[in-house]
Amino acid sequence: MLYFLIGYMGSGKTSLAKRVSKRSGLPWIDTDKEIEKQEGRTVAEIFIEKGEKHFRNLESQFIQSLDASDSLIVATGGGLPCFNNNIELINELGKTFYLQLSAAKLTERLLESSSERPLLANKTAKEIKDFIEQSLNEREPHYLRSHHVLNANIPFDRLTEEVVKLF
Ligand code: S3P
C-alpha cells in the first residue's frame, strides 16, 4: 500500500513521513527530493530554468511511475495534489492523508523558511500572508478530496499515532 501525506507547504509532511516511517518500519520518500535526484537540480532551479508548468509535469510523471503494490510512505510537494488531477490518481494508488492547518498558522511557519521556497521567495511578509490565504483557498478543495483529513495543529507525537492507526 502507498500512503500519501499531502498538504500546504509548511504543514509538516516531510517531518511526519520520517516519524511515521520510524514508527511503522515502512520506508518513506519525498517527491521534491526524488525529482531533484532525477533532474540533477533543485526544485528552485527547475522553477527558474524551466518554469512551474514543467515542474508540475515532472510531479505528475513521478506519481505515475509509482507502483501501487509497494509499501511506501510518500510525502508530496505542496502543490502536487492540486494540478493535473493528481489527487484522483493518488487516491486510486493508495491512502491519502491531508495535514490541515489554517492560513494563519501556515503563514507563521512559512515566514521562517520562505527563501527556500520558490513560490514565496522575494515576497514581503504581507505578500506571503496574502499569497497563502489566496492559494490555500484555491487548493483546499483538492486537498479535501483526500481519504483522511487530519488536524495538523496538535502535538507531533499524537499526529504520528493518528496516522499510524489509520494505516
Ligand atoms: C510547492 C511546494 C514545495 C515544492 C515547490 C512547490 C507548492 O514542496 O514542491 O516549491 O506549490 O506548494 P513543500 O510543500 O514540500 O514545501
Side-chain angles (χ1 to χ4, degrees), residues 7-10 13-14 32 43 47 55-56 59 76-79 117-119 139:
Y8 204 80
M9 290 178 271
K13 302 172 295 268
T14 306
D32 287 340
V43 170
F47 265 71
F55 176 69
R56 298 304 172 197
E59 288 189 308
T76 75
R117 296 185 150 101
L119 291 174
R139 287 178 174 195

Side-chain angles (χ1 to χ4, degrees), residues 8-10 47 52 106-107 109-125 127-133 135 139:
Y8 204 80
M9 290 178 271
F47 265 71
E52 180 174 349
L106 290 167
T107 303
R109 291 194 184 184
L110 287 165
L111 281 174
E112 283 163 27
S113 59
S114 59
S115 60
E116 303 140 32
R117 296 185 150 101
L119 291 174
L120 305 177
N122 306 316
K123 286 188 169 68
T124 64
E127 284 167 344
I128 289 178
K129 178 174 178 284
D130 292 346
F131 176 84
I132 292 171
E133 273 170 14
S135 62
R139 287 178 174 195

